[in-house]
């Protein structure tokens, strides 16, 4: 997916807007009318395009959806319906975690990649651990909806990770006890607290130690590497993102610094200077893209090492192998046999 245009406010991934619409369809609600009321594209456009949805637009969409459906617990319905795979690389990283604690730590580290208006914190406590939601911006009219959606999503993720429903010890909600408390209790048989400082879910150590039924260390490392790349792109300056987009769209015949400078209407020296001001270098960006692609091809495809070397723009296999070993301390053949690497610690 190409990087979405930068907005002044954090944006929500369009997947969640689509899931909201599908939930509304299941309730027999006129989705097109809700989208028009919120000022969003029609369903066909929303289903196929990467539409940036900032917080004011989220607020309008949620208000229209709740008002039209007459369902104040709509956030619970949406969160409970979201499959792990809908969270992209984050979902794959969570699903391949070693145990529930690692899954929640992964959510805490990368959860904001999917919805920048909130962040997560994970903290070990004497009895186990707690994951908390941190509201980065004022969620406005959509606050209760978002909090309920996050809560239900966490319950769904926990169930997927351990293979069966498992309930937290304590859940704190930062809003008054609603008339529909029973809807919350259907998702959680733990102790529910209301009017608390923030949303948090606390679990005991026995629960946190439960193994993930789809644990896969290699897949987890690969998915985390993809999350790291997305995090770097989101945190990068505008020119760095443009360069990364161009490099990610290419394979084999990667554009040179001169080519990119020309495409951007800049001299090479000017492009290098601006990248430096944003804390990046062209060669490091190119190496990072090729590192990610190399590991993905070795672990997810049947392409030969020779073919991968060609696709990544190396003159020959031996040159690729030497460079790969410099990056990761391992040969491509070792990674293909199952040795894990971390692209976050690779050197360029």
């Amino acid at each position: 997916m190409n990087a979405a245009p930068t907005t002044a406010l954090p944006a929500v991934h369009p997947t969640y807007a689509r899931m909201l619409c599908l939930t509304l369809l299941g309730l027999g609600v006129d989705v097109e009318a809700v989208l028009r009321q919120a000022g969003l594209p029609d369903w066909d456009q929303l289903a196929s395009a990467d539409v940036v949805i900032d917080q004011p637009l989220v607020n309008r969409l949620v208000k229209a959806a709740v008002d039209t459906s007459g369902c104040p617990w709509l956030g619970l319905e949406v969160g409970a319906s979201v499959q792990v795979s809908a969270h992209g690389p984050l979902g794959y990283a969570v699903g391949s975690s070693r145990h529930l604690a690692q899954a929640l730590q992964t959510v805490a580290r990368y959860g904001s990649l999917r919805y920048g208006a909130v962040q997560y914190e994970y903290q070990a406590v004497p009895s186990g651990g707690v994951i908390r939601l941190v509201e980065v911006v004022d969620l406005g009219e959509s606050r209760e909806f978002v909090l309920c959606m996050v809560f239900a999503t966490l319950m769904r993720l926990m169930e997927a990770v351990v293979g069966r429903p498992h309930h937290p010890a304590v859940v704190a909600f930062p809003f008054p006890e609603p008339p529909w408390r029973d809807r919350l209790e259907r998702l959680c048989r733990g102790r529910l607290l209301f009017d608390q400082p923030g949303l948090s879910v606390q679990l005991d150590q026995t629960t946190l130690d439960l193994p993930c039924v789809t644990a896969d260390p290699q897949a987890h490392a690969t998915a985390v590497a993809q999350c790291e790349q997305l995090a770097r792109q989101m945190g990068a300056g505008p020119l760095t993102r443009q360069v990364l987009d161009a490099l990610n769209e290419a394979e084999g015949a990667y554009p040179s610094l001169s080519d990119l400078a020309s495409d951007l209407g800049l001299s090479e020296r000017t492009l290098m200077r601006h990248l430096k001001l944003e804390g990046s270098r062209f060669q490091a960006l190119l190496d990072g893209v090729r590192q990610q692609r190399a590991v993905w091809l070795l672990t997810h495809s049947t392409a030969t090492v020779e073919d991968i070397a060609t696709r990544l723009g190396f003159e020959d296999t031996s040159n690729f192998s030497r460079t790969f070993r410099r990056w990761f301390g391992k040969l491509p053949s070792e990674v293909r046999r199952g040795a894990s690497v971390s692209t976050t610690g690779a050197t360029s």
Side-chain angles (χ1 to χ4, degrees), residues 42-66:
D42 60 28
W43 169 248
D44 288 339
Q45 288 180 276
L46 185 64
S48 61
D50 289 332
V51 180
V52 172
I53 305 176
D54 62 18
Q55 191 57 45
L57 194 51
V58 169
N59 292 346
R60 296 201 300 272
L61 175 60
V62 168
K63 185 178 187 307
V66 172

Side-chain angles (χ1 to χ4, degrees), residues 21 53 67 85 97 106 121 123 136 194 214 225 254 263 324 345:
C21 290
I53 305 176
D67 288 349
S85 59
S97 297
T106 302
E121 295 178 349
Q123 180 185 7
V136 178
F194 298 94
T214 52
Y254 288 101
D263 290 343
F324 192 90

Side-chain angles (χ1 to χ4, degrees), residues 215-290:
D216 184 333
Q218 182 65 53
H220 182 75
T222 302
V224 165
Q226 293 173 330
C227 289
E228 286 287 347
Q229 184 181 27
L230 286 172
R232 288 196 297 270
Q233 286 185 244
M234 290 176 65
L239 198 57
T240 299
R241 284 197 295 271
Q242 285 182 274
V243 171
L244 281 169
D245 286 346
L247 294 173
N248 280 315
E249 290 171 2
E251 187 172 285
Y254 288 101
S256 66
L257 177 65
S258 176
D259 293 333
L260 285 174
S262 178
D263 290 343
L264 294 169
L266 303 171
S267 68
E268 287 186 43
R269 291 185 64 181
T270 300
L271 176 56
M272 291 172 62
R273 184 172 70 252
H274 282 296
L275 288 176
K276 184 177 180 180
L277 289 172
E278 292 181 358
S280 59
R281 295 182 298 109
F282 172 75
Q283 190 59 50
L285 296 175
L286 175 59
D287 282 349
V289 169
R290 295 206 291 182

Side-chain angles (χ1 to χ4, degrees), residues 21 27 41 43 75 101-102 109 117 130 141 167-168 231 277 285 318 321:
C21 290
L27 295 173
W43 169 248
Q102 186 181 51
R109 186 169 182 181
V130 58
E141 293 177 284
H167 302 283
L277 289 172
L285 296 175
S318 60
S321 296

Side-chain angles (χ1 to χ4, degrees), residues 283-314:
Q283 190 59 50
L285 296 175
L286 175 59
D287 282 349
V289 169
R290 295 206 291 182
Q291 288 165 11
Q292 298 278 353
R293 189 64 177 159
V295 172
W296 193 94
L297 289 169
L298 287 166
T299 56
H300 289 79
S301 80
T302 57
T304 65
V305 173
E306 291 79 7
D307 184 41
I308 293 173
T310 300
R311 291 167 69 171
L312 295 178
F314 288 92

Side-chain angles (χ1 to χ4, degrees), residues 95-142:
S96 58
S97 297
R98 189 167 64 256
H99 43 54
L100 183 56
Q102 186 181 51
L104 294 178
Q105 289 162 4
T106 302
V107 170
R109 186 169 182 181
Y110 300 114
S112 60
L113 292 176
R114 306 294 284 182
Y115 185 18
V118 299
Q119 295 179 354
Y120 301 83
E121 295 178 349
Y122 179 85
Q123 180 185 7
V125 296
S127 59
V130 58
I131 185 166
R132 296 186 179 89
L133 183 76
V134 179
E135 300 172 37
V136 178
V137 300
D138 182 358
L139 297 174
E141 293 177 284
S142 65

